[in-house]
Amino acid sequence: MFSCTKNEKPVISFYYWKTIFKFSKIEKEVLEENNVSKLYVRYFDIGLHPESKFPIPISPIRFEINPNGYKIVPVVFIQNKVMLQKNLDVEDLAQKTFDFIEQINSKNKIVSQEIQIDCDWSLESKENYLKFIKSFKKLSKKKLSATIRLHQVKYFKKTKIPSVDSGVLMYYNMGSIAPDSLNSIYDQKVAERYLKSLKKYPLHLDFAFPIYSWGVHIRNNKVIGLRSKMNRKELEEDPNFEKTSSIFFRAKQSNYKNGVFYEENDLLKIEEISKDDLKEMAEDLQYNLIEKPNEIIFYDLDEFNLNNYEKNTFEQIISCF
């Protein structure tokens, strides 16, 4: 762990996934303490209009402060159902996506050298997706990166590799959201099925690590929803809930929490990522790599998430590489 020299370590970056761009005091401190110079900022999603089924931008970001001093990488999340459209005009979509990014940049005096496309494409949507990436790359004339999932690494001969400059492996959301005791965000046993494939993957990869947590809302042994920004500490202090195991909490009586109604005996399963989990991820990846990542991007920059980690956690994680 101490054999890494300062130059060899990956740099620390963060995803910014809120719709209004501004920093809290804690978020600003974490950026400064970790010498963060690059932020991957979600600019908008692309979904389908409910009636026309045409692709439309959803919840574009609004900059309340100017991100001076940071390299901003616009990220666009494209829902897979967009790429599944049979008559999709891929070139038109690429042009409109690029134009909208440029419009946001121009309005906020941002110059970006790189753009990232986030899409969990499937075998059925890969043709449209790969064409979209080609068109977009040609249009933008910028460095282009794409998010890559574990299954796309292992089965790359089938899923293909987008023609981008680099990929970011999303090292989370590995399991299914279920009423069992497994953690769907990160499961080492699931990850192990894919790790050996990394040595054969021909595209340079950086890594995205999870630092978020959520509650899985369960009623009568069925999942009825995901409750974001929820952790154990918060539920331990809530008199409406009682802890029934290390990860399960039961509603003692019917109540509202953060605008959500919980019936008596509803369960909340807390899925979160500890510092030890992050270290385990880094060590397992490091052991299976041919080439080191240039950066580790933590998902996502939010005071609620950051409060769960000690000051030097992020430094310790990158030291494993």
Side-chain angles (χ1 to χ4, degrees):
M1 199 162 160
F2 296 102
S3 65
C4 314
T5 69
K6 207 168 184 193
N7 299 334
E8 287 174 328
K9 282 192 286 188
V11 299
I12 296 168
S13 307
F14 282 92
Y15 278 104
Y16 190 94
W17 220 252
K18 291 178 274 195
T19 50
I20 295 172
F21 188 91
K22 59 179 182 183
F23 300 136
S24 72
K25 185 171 172 286
I26 285 170
E27 289 160 7
K28 206 165 170 41
E29 279 168 10
V30 166
L31 292 172
E32 284 165 6
E33 282 158 8
N34 291 284
N35 301 314
V36 174
S37 62
K38 194 173 178 186
L39 292 171
Y40 289 77
V41 180
R42 176 210 158 275
Y43 268 36
F44 52 93
D45 297 351
I46 298 176
L48 293 175
H49 188 282
E51 283 150 27
S52 71
K53 299 297 174 200
F54 281 127
I56 52 164
I58 298 166
S59 312
I61 192 158
R62 182 162 61 78
F63 284 84
E64 212 164 88
I65 58 164
N66 189 288
N68 280 342
Y70 295 99
K71 280 183 207 150
I72 297 297
V73 178
V75 183
V76 177
F77 172 70
I78 306 176
Q79 295 172 8
N80 190 41
K81 63 184 176 185
V82 173
M83 292 297 166
L84 285 167
Q85 295 294 96
K86 294 273 183 284
N87 306 316
L88 183 67
D89 186 337
V90 171
E91 288 184 1
D92 181 59
L93 180 61
Q95 185 70 60
K96 284 177 173 159
T97 305
F98 180 63
D99 289 347
F100 196 25
I101 292 168
E102 289 292 272
Q103 199 182 313
I104 294 170
N105 278 346
S106 159
K107 186 182 173 187
N108 296 287
K109 298 181 175 57
I110 295 166
V111 178
S112 53
Q113 311 300 329
E114 178 188 345
I115 293 170
Q116 187 172 101
I117 303 296
D118 180 14
C119 178
D120 188 4
W121 79 94
S122 58
L123 292 175
E124 295 75 25
S125 65
K126 77 174 176 193
E127 210 170 300
N128 275 342
Y129 175 70
L130 296 174
K131 276 187 202 160
F132 171 86
I133 289 289
K134 262 191 180 150
S135 299
F136 193 90
K137 176 98 176 117
K138 209 164 148 188
L139 273 171
S140 75
K141 300 181 177 63
K142 293 177 191 282
K143 184 186 172 196
L144 187 60
S145 57
T147 55
I148 310 286
R149 272 69 179 173
L150 282 165
H151 67 94
Q152 291 159 349
V153 169
K154 186 168 181 175
Y155 304 109
F156 74 86
K157 287 184 178 160
K158 280 186 187 170
T159 60
K160 301 299 180 201
I161 294 170
S163 54
V164 291
D165 299 290
S166 64
V168 175
L169 180 67
M170 317 306 271
Y171 209 63
Y172 48 86
N173 292 358
M174 296 179 181
S176 53
I177 292 155
D180 59 25
S181 59
L182 299 175
N183 188 333
S184 70
I185 299 174
Y186 168 65
D187 185 329
Q188 190 185 32
K189 285 194 179 76
V190 173
E192 271 172 1
R193 296 178 210 155
Y194 300 92
L195 280 168
K196 287 187 173 59
S197 316
L198 283 166
K199 288 185 173 159
K200 296 181 195 138
Y201 195 68
L203 181 67
H204 172 82
L205 289 174
D206 293 313
F207 300 116
F209 281 6
I211 54 168
Y212 61 92
S213 61
W214 56 33
V216 179
H217 186 177
I218 300 158
R219 182 175 296 156
N220 301 324
N221 210 33
K222 286 192 177 68
V223 174
I224 61 166
L226 263 187
R227 310 299 173 218
S228 62
K229 292 193 187 175
M230 195 174 265
N231 59 25
R232 265 182 275 209
K233 186 171 171 282
E234 180 195 352
L235 283 176
E236 280 164 355
E237 291 165 1
D238 190 326
N240 288 313
F241 290 86
E242 69 170 352
K243 193 172 184 174
T244 59
S245 81
S246 63
I247 57 167
F248 283 101
F249 292 81
R250 185 184 72 84
K252 294 200 282 193
Q253 62 261 330
S254 297
N255 69 88
Y256 278 94
K257 183 172 178 62
N258 303 332
V260 174
F261 179 68
Y262 295 91
E263 276 183 16
E264 187 179 345
N265 293 323
D266 277 5
L267 290 177
L268 274 168
K269 174 174 81 163
I270 295 298
E271 296 186 342
E272 54 192 4
I273 300 298
S274 68
K275 176 179 159 182
D276 288 341
D277 290 330
L278 292 171
K279 275 189 174 173
E280 186 176 86
M281 290 176 198
E283 283 161 9
D284 286 351
L285 281 165
Q286 199 271 334
Y287 186 70
N288 286 281
L289 292 182
I290 287 178
E291 187 184 22
K292 281 189 176 194
N294 298 326
E295 56 187 311
I296 303 297
I297 314 164
F298 293 97
Y299 181 89
D300 63 317
L301 187 76
D302 187 299
E303 186 172 330
F304 182 85
N305 300 333
L306 300 172
N307 280 331
N308 296 316
Y309 301 97
E310 295 157 20
K311 253 189 182 181
N312 61 350
T313 297
F314 306 114
E315 272 294 334
Q316 282 185 31
I317 301 313
I318 61 163
S319 296
C320 297
F321 287 95

